[in-house]
Amino acid sequence: FISVQFMCITYFVICDKNLNVKLIIELQDNSHTKENRITRDNFIKTILEGCGYKLLQTYNITEEQLNSNLKYQ
């Protein structure tokens, strides 16, 4: 738990009309190419997906990509 409580992510949570989480999008910048950030990103992804959430980590996203990621939700 200690390793999680000090982490901060920039994200958007996409929910349906009943507020069920459909997708979490983490917007990244160039700092995410560093080895320690890659390790952190993998850790965050493992935790969120382990909780049943779908995580999309991206530098930018188009409407088409968003729709594609939500299509089978």
Side-chain angles (χ1 to χ4, degrees):
F1 177 75
I2 291 174
S3 59
V4 175
Q5 70 182 1
F6 295 110
M7 290 194 170
C8 178
I9 59 175
T10 302
Y11 61 92
F12 295 91
V13 179
I14 309 298
C15 300
D16 65 15
K17 65 181 178 179
N18 295 319
L19 298 180
N20 297 308
V21 175
K22 297 312 225 174
L23 178 65
I24 299 173
I25 303 170
E26 180 184 12
L27 297 179
Q28 300 180 336
D29 61 16
N30 288 337
S31 69
H32 291 262
T33 60
K34 298 177 183 174
E35 187 173 334
N36 67 328
R37 291 299 292 230
I38 292 169
T39 301
R40 170 228 174 251
D41 289 342
N42 290 336
F43 180 71
I44 292 288
K45 186 171 184 141
T46 298
I47 291 197
L48 289 175
E49 289 182 349
C51 292
Y53 298 113
K54 181 176 180 181
L55 175 65
L56 173 63
Q57 295 167 306
T58 185
Y59 291 90
N60 59 46
I61 188 165
T62 65
E63 186 174 347
E64 182 178 301
Q65 290 170 315
L66 179 59
N67 289 334
S68 175
N69 277 278
L70 291 172
K71 188 174 184 178
Y72 299 104
Q73 297 296 311

